[in-house]
Amino acid sequence: MRDYDQATAFLGEWGPFQVSVFFLLSASIIPNGFTGLSAVFLAATPEHRCHIPESANLSAAWRNASIPRQDGQDSQCRRYRLGTLTNYSALGLLPGRDVDVTGIEQEPCLDGWNYSKSLYLSTIVTEWNLVCENDWKGPLTTSLFFVGVLIGSFVSGQMSDRFGRKKVLFATMAVQTGFSIIQVFSVNWEMFTALFIIVGMGQISNYVAAFILGAEILDKSVRIIFSTLGVCIFYAIGYMLLPLFAYFIRDWRTLLLALTIPGLFCIPLWWIIPESPRWLISQGRFQEAEDIIRKAAKKNGITPPDSIFNFTELQEQKELTHKSHTFLDLLKTRNIRIITFLSILLWMIISVGYFGLSLNTPNLHGDPYVNCFLSAIIEVPAYVIAWLLLRSFPRRYSTASTLVLGGVVLLFIQLVPQELGILSIVLVMLGKFGITSAFSMVYVYTAELYPTVVRNMGVGASSMASRMGSILSPYFVYLGAYDRFLPFILMGSLTVLIGMFTLCLPESHGMPLPDTIEEMLRVKGFRYKAGKRLKKDKDRKASVLSNTAL
């Protein structure tokens, strides 16, 4: 029987219908670029010091000397005991001349903090004083957002399989937009964070739904471009717009509202973007699928054949597609266990590097808005390079080389003198370039390694590991409070290490996709009994891969 691609080949590869689906679905990803890294500005920590109330009755000299100095800077979390300073001030004594201030007892910031407003008028940190003994709440806020992303990763695939790609896409977009609006009116950190978890669930769910919907509607030749360039570059466009919004809107509530409004412009897409005909066929709704194909043909100016699908054959195919494989099959043989273990490590460490570098932009030398924009724009050439490498070069060497490039330049940062801050930024952006390229390629590479019977589960397990890496990434950034080079040393070392391990994975470029666990390519460096692999058609490889690239 003819498969779906053969049955719909008369539509052509790149007509008005495909163009509209490609760009509208890609455009629906733009708000994810806002949301995914909005914490860079919403949860930014400006310079601060203990507040000295006017009621303290201190002279100007004692008010200026009320904050201890640490490493040449005012302490952000301690002050000299105000009662003692008030007594000295009342006696007419002067700090430094009559009193050695370094011997005065210190106390925490009992009256709150004064925050610098040179960069931000307000953030959730200044709103709820998430500094000093509460500074752990800042990275936890971002981590809990990624916990929501992890939960969304669990349920999004099952929801779209049950209720349809289109319904889940728009329902989760509504969740992301609606709860972001509610988040604007948060009255405390706990409420903000709880809502942020739900926003994270919606963010990843609509991303996955849009990805799957595009992959199932578009022809196989356009599908790869959509998966590697369309979705990724439009995500980067949203990321680039984030610092532009933040630069002109310095109040966190107004900024969050402004970032939420573009999601409302996606509402009209409900009447333009169709449901996935593949999903309708899998549900036995054959006539609805054929109606969508006929409308697409009309939009492309093509006369469809009298009969597009053979409903009897489709029903037989639907009954044959039921599988009885579980996640335990990812551990069934020694070979697949090693591939699963290496894939999980690879995805987790890449995610730590990608999100760690993205979230760390406010801590770099120079303007945080410019640094964030540079971090976003460097992703565009990274995605293009990844696409070119996937077209022509071996997977494991391409992935390993970009990871080693990203990791090595991060390790070099500690050697850069402090006065050469611009060079440090250049190295960070090169590191981000390498890690982003690897992140884009690893989706395709992992899908090629696993056999058809467990491909979705294999990529799903790897993606889950990626979410765990994103949850950990804010704490890598947090370590910079103790040593500004420590995050780069850790991320660089782990990235180089996993780049080396990637060379142990089998090469899949130009190879037919395996259908069964026994047909999988062998991990390098291990001895196996002789066996044979079945030959597959390469066109079929591209078709299956495109459907499972996520």
Side-chain angles (χ1 to χ4, degrees):
M1 64 168 290
R2 298 181 303 164
D3 64 16
Y4 177 89
D5 287 328
Q6 292 174 325
T8 59
F10 69 90
L11 287 176
E13 295 181 352
W14 195 243
F17 172 75
Q18 290 91 340
V19 170
S20 65
V21 169
F22 184 101
F23 285 103
L24 291 177
L25 282 177
S26 297
S28 73
I29 301 295
I30 291 178
N32 290 343
F34 296 154
T35 309
L37 293 164
S38 61
V40 169
F41 297 106
L42 297 179
T45 303
E47 293 293 325
H48 54 277
R49 53 179 283 174
C50 292
H51 175 63
I52 308 299
E54 294 297 329
S55 59
N57 293 324
L58 296 178
S59 65
W62 279 106
R63 187 172 291 275
N64 292 335
S66 59
I67 304 297
R69 302 281 291 178
Q70 293 179 346
D71 300 325
Q73 297 180 336
D74 287 344
S75 171
Q76 295 185 323
C77 298
R78 306 289 291 178
R79 70 184 184 188
Y80 292 119
R81 185 176 292 277
L82 286 191
T84 304
L85 300 188
T86 302
N87 291 336
Y88 287 145
S89 179
L91 293 172
L93 302 177
L94 293 176
R97 190 191 71 178
D98 303 315
V99 179
D100 180 10
V101 293
T102 59
I104 300 176
E105 186 179 357
Q106 297 180 14
E107 64 183 6
C109 301
L110 302 177
D111 298 296
W113 291 263
N114 292 327
Y115 296 95
S116 170
K117 295 190 176 182
S118 60
L119 290 175
Y120 316 102
L121 292 180
S122 71
T123 68
I124 65 168
V125 171
T126 65
E127 179 99 4
W128 298 306
N129 292 324
L130 308 183
V131 293
C132 298
E133 66 271 12
N134 287 320
D135 62 353
W136 55 273
K137 293 182 178 180
L140 180 60
T141 302
T142 309
S143 286
L144 288 176
F145 169 80
F146 288 120
V147 168
V149 171
L150 175 62
I151 297 171
S153 299
F154 272 118
V155 302
S156 58
Q158 299 176 30
M159 288 173 57
S160 62
D161 285 343
R162 180 173 181 179
F163 300 107
R165 318 312 194 199
K166 179 178 177 179
K167 289 181 180 178
V168 170
L169 170 64
F170 286 92
T172 53
M173 286 172 63
V175 168
Q176 177 180 328
T177 303
F179 280 90
S180 292
I181 292 175
I182 298 173
Q183 207 176 10
V184 173
F185 304 99
S186 299
V187 296
N188 52 44
W189 174 76
E190 290 77 11
M191 177 180 176
F192 178 92
T193 304
L195 293 171
F196 216 16
I197 295 173
I198 301 174
V199 171
M201 293 172 60
Q203 191 251 10
I204 188 61
S205 297
N206 72 60
Y207 181 94
V208 170
F211 192 102
I212 295 174
L213 185 57
E216 291 183 344
I217 292 178
L218 298 171
D219 185 82
K220 60 185 178 183
S221 61
V222 181
R223 210 174 292 152
I224 294 294
I225 302 176
F226 173 78
S227 303
T228 56
L229 288 182
V231 168
C232 295
I233 288 181
F234 276 81
Y235 176 90
I237 290 172
Y239 186 11
M240 282 186 274
L241 292 174
L242 171 63
L244 297 179
F245 275 89
Y247 179 80
F248 292 104
I249 306 174
R250 305 290 179 103
D251 171 69
W252 77 266
R253 292 182 188 272
T254 310
L255 172 62
L256 181 55
L257 183 61
L259 295 176
T260 302
I261 289 174
L264 300 176
F265 295 122
C266 294
I267 294 176
L269 300 184
W270 172 266
W271 291 275
I272 303 174
I273 296 175
E275 180 57 272
S276 166
R278 290 177 186 268
W279 178 81
L280 291 171
I281 289 172
S282 73
Q283 301 299 303
R285 296 159 61 176
F286 306 127
Q287 189 58 54
E288 292 178 58
E290 185 160 314
D291 291 342
I292 290 174
I293 299 301
R294 292 189 181 280
K295 289 180 182 178
K298 182 179 180 181
K299 191 169 185 177
N300 284 355
I302 296 172
T303 302
D306 294 335
S307 176
I308 298 176
F309 301 116
N310 184 313
F311 294 157
T312 302
E313 289 183 344
L314 287 175
Q315 183 63 40
E316 292 175 356
Q317 184 186 41
K318 176 177 178 288
E319 293 172 355
L320 290 173
T321 56
H322 293 290
K323 299 179 176 63
S324 59
H325 292 276
T326 68
F327 274 99
L328 292 178
D329 288 305
L330 298 179
L331 306 173
K332 185 174 182 180
T333 67
R334 181 189 184 193
N335 189 58
I336 197 172
R337 282 197 299 271
I338 296 172
I339 288 178
T340 299
F341 176 73
L342 291 177
S343 296
I344 286 173
L345 278 182
L346 178 63
W347 283 62
M348 181 179 293
I349 292 174
I350 289 178
S351 185
V352 167
Y354 175 82
F355 287 104
L357 292 177
S358 299
L359 295 171
N360 195 50
T361 50
N363 300 326
L364 299 178
H365 172 81
D367 189 290
Y369 301 99
V370 174
N371 292 338
C372 184
F373 181 79
L374 292 175
S375 178
I377 202 170
I378 198 66
E379 293 193 7
V380 176
Y383 293 133
V384 174
I385 290 296
W387 177 63
L388 294 174
L389 290 174
L390 286 172
R391 283 170 56 93
S392 307
F393 295 95
R395 307 294 194 235
R396 63 192 184 106
Y397 290 125
S398 298
T399 305
S401 60
T402 52
L403 285 171
V404 171
L405 167 67
V408 167
V409 295
L410 292 181
L411 291 174
F412 280 154
I413 292 174
Q414 61 186 312
L415 305 178
V416 178
Q418 191 167 1
E419 59 271 16
L420 297 179
I422 294 179
L423 179 57
S424 295
I425 293 176
V426 171
L427 293 177
V428 170
M429 296 309 157
L430 280 175
K432 178 75 181 294
F433 172 86
I435 292 173
T436 302
S437 294
F439 213 165
S440 180
M441 289 187 287
V442 77
Y443 278 91
V444 176
Y445 190 17
T446 306
E448 290 179 340
L449 292 176
Y450 282 103
T452 302
V453 293
V454 293
R455 184 169 293 119
N456 284 336
M457 285 184 284
V459 177
S462 301
S463 180
M464 195 183 309
S466 171
R467 310 309 170 199
M468 295 301 299
S470 63
I471 292 170
L472 295 174
S473 63
Y475 292 96
F476 278 74
V477 178
Y478 183 65
L479 292 174
Y482 301 96
D483 185 326
R484 66 189 186 94
F485 295 124
L486 189 55
F488 300 115
I489 293 172
L490 290 176
M491 288 187 287
S493 301
L494 289 173
T495 302
V496 171
L497 182 63
I498 197 61
M500 297 297 184
F501 280 147
T502 301
L503 295 175
C504 295
L505 290 171
E507 181 51 61
S508 61
H509 179 60
M511 299 293 292
L513 285 179
D515 275 336
T516 65
I517 294 175
E518 291 73 20
E519 296 172 23
M520 291 179 67
L521 293 162
R522 301 303 186 187
V523 174
K524 306 297 180 183
F526 295 87
R527 293 183 178 274
Y528 294 93
K529 294 180 180 179
K532 70 176 185 177
R533 291 170 44 81
L534 301 178
K535 293 183 179 180
K536 306 291 183 299
D537 185 87
K538 288 188 179 181
D539 289 338
R540 184 172 174 276
K541 168 186 174 178
S543 174
V544 176
L545 169 62
S546 302
N547 279 317
T548 58
L550 185 60

